Amino acid sequence: MRHVKIAGTGSYVPEHIVTNDDLAGFLDTSDEWIASRTGIRERRISTGENTSDLAAAAAQRALEDAGVKAEELDLILCATISPDCFMPSVACMVQERIGASKAAAFDLVAACSGLVYGMATAAAFIESGMYRTILVIGAETLSKTVDWTDRATCVLFGDGAGAVVLTPSERRTGILASYLVSDGGKQDYLTLPALPLNNSFMVKKDEHQPEQSSILSMKGQDVFKFAVRSVVDQTKTLLTKAALTEEDIRYVVLHQANSRIIEQSAKSSGISQEKFFLNLDRYGNTSAASIGIALDELSRKGMLSDGDKLLLIGFGGGMTSGGILLEWSR
Ligand code: ACO
């Protein structure tokens, strides 16, 4: 079987910074409440760029980092729950923007596990021999999906994009194990409705039925428990699959949802908390983008060396969870 490695990473966030104090200017909240409950101090919010703009910018940086030309790409996968439109896909918009004329392109929905689901899907294409060079992007403008009068949700999220270029590896490095899990039975933990059913043939509408709106809602405490359980299960499964132990892991890159989820996950998984990378204080929760942004930051700051083992773990709406155990090699 072929091995698959990350050949390059890239990320992009909008310039506009919104601090907790900025939010306290129009919501009944405070920096103290938000920072102590979530670890978030500020987030980037788009003042005009849509998801495809962020995705294309992150993609361009990942290609430059990998030394790969856009025309060499066989496939573009974009994980998002906040696309510009249902059709065309963000992946097709990026394809046109960066000039990846030979690539197939499609979007993938796995919420905050999206980048990991995308990487595992891309790896399977490469391992099978169907494609060689794949761009995987996680990109979101969640700012357009939240109710900016609801202090319980809008303070949590930010906009951004992260991307990786995956290619075959000559050595037995790169993706050592992956594990994807879904539980539709918990679908009401996190929801973001699309268009309501509406046509001339519908049976009589219930006049009291509320209009569906495209606003994100969340059962915070249920999500918290699901997230911690997922991290523990993912860690155990991935280490077993790769025949490694907790001590072998250099960094754990979790979906950046909440610092308390990360603290509890460290305690429950038996991995030292210093190994858990954290940048949610500056970006908030960027859903499918968060792991890509974190990975790009680790790489560009020179914090990764060949041979380092990383656990990438996402958890999110669906419910979904996805993990990858990676040996860094460039
Ligand atoms: N500022 C001030 N007060 C607030 C705020 C706010 N921003 N948000 C909620 N409150 C108030 C509530 O109104 C409530 O007040 P009340 O007791 O007078 O009714 C009180 O704080 C407690 O509200 P809860 O919703 O019960 O707050 P909780 O302690 O559960 O903390 C949080 C909320 C931080 C979201 C928590 O549930 C959590 O950590 N959840 C994990 C899930 C998560 O992080 N989700 C992110 C997105 S999902 C994902 O990425 C997979």
Side-chain angles (χ1 to χ4, degrees):
M1 195 176 71
R2 290 169 192 222
H3 294 273
V4 180
K5 69 169 185 177
I6 293 183
T9 64
S11 63
Y12 178 81
V13 290
E15 255 179 49
H16 186 62
I17 296 173
V18 175
T19 64
N20 293 344
D21 285 335
D22 292 334
L23 295 177
F26 63 92
L27 284 170
D28 182 12
T29 190
S30 64
D31 177 51
E32 197 281 321
W33 194 97
I34 301 170
S36 64
R37 300 289 200 299
T38 70
I40 299 165
R41 298 234 166 240
E42 59 186 48
R43 69 287 290 141
R44 303 298 181 99
I45 299 294
S46 171
T47 55
E49 296 160 301
N50 212 329
T51 298
S52 63
D53 300 309
L54 310 187
Q60 203 74 59
R61 290 177 182 180
L63 289 173
E64 280 161 23
D65 188 44
V68 166
K69 294 192 184 69
E71 312 85 72
E72 294 173 54
L73 289 174
D74 299 311
L75 176 66
I76 301 172
L77 273 175
C78 184
T80 184
I81 51 166
S82 52
D84 303 35
C85 28
F86 291 134
M87 184 174 68
S89 65
V90 174
C92 281
M93 291 171 152
V94 171
Q95 181 208 16
E96 188 269 339
R97 201 84 59 83
I98 64 177
S101 49
K102 298 197 195 81
F106 65 94
D107 286 359
L108 175 155
V109 175
C112 308
S113 313
L115 189 88
V116 176
Y117 268 63
M119 286 176 66
T121 306
F125 275 123
I126 295 172
E127 283 161 8
S128 76
M130 185 161 167
Y131 293 130
R132 278 188 68 80
T133 311
I134 302 183
L135 172 67
V136 184
I137 311 165
E140 306 284 10
T141 45
L142 286 182
S143 58
K144 69 189 178 196
T145 72
V146 296
D147 172 358
W148 283 97
T149 64
D150 176 15
R151 64 180 183 173
T153 51
C154 74
V155 304
L156 302 173
F157 299 99
D159 299 333
V164 294
V165 176
L166 296 181
T167 59
S169 170
E170 311 298 317
R171 295 179 283 147
R172 293 174 67 85
T173 57
I175 295 178
L176 304 181
S178 62
Y179 183 49
L180 305 180
V181 180
S182 305
D183 184 355
K186 297 185 169 63
Q187 59 186 277
D188 61 333
Y189 286 11
L190 277 160
T191 55
L192 177 54
L195 297 175
L197 189 64
N198 182 18
N199 64 54
S200 316
F201 308 99
M202 284 174 70
V203 288
K204 194 165 163 274
K205 279 187 193 170
D206 175 356
E207 281 169 16
H208 301 295
Q209 199 178 326
E211 281 299 311
Q212 205 176 15
S213 61
S214 215
I215 294 292
L216 189 148
S217 68
M218 172 183 84
K219 294 185 175 175
Q221 288 165 17
D222 289 328
V223 173
F224 192 104
K225 287 179 211 144
F226 174 86
V228 175
R229 252 196 327 270
S230 297
V231 177
V232 174
D233 289 351
Q234 286 283 350
T235 302
K236 205 167 146 217
T237 306
L238 292 167
L239 288 174
T240 305
K241 277 186 167 205
L244 294 171
T245 68
E246 287 79 0
E247 285 72 44
D248 296 315
I249 300 301
R250 178 77 184 87
Y251 288 111
V252 185
V253 183
L254 294 191
H255 163 50
Q256 303 284 303
N258 182 312
S259 57
R260 292 198 309 177
I261 290 179
I262 296 180
E263 281 158 25
Q264 189 55 50
S265 298
K267 279 190 198 132
S268 305
S269 64
I271 300 183
S272 144
Q273 192 164 334
E274 300 101 66
K275 294 186 176 180
F276 285 71
F277 182 74
L278 212 83
N279 67 3
L280 62 87
D281 53 326
R282 286 170 285 130
Y283 302 120
N285 179 342
T286 57
S287 188
S290 81
I291 291 177
I293 294 173
L295 206 50
D296 188 44
E297 198 169 318
L298 275 167
S299 170
R300 284 178 198 260
K301 284 186 172 165
M303 293 166 73
L304 299 174
S305 309
D306 270 15
D308 281 350
K309 312 274 192 315
L310 279 78
L311 273 173
L312 315 180
I313 302 175
F315 43 82
M319 297 297 282
T320 58
S321 87
I324 283 182
L325 206 164
L326 185 76
E327 180 172 331
W328 189 255
S329 71
R330 292 294 297 274

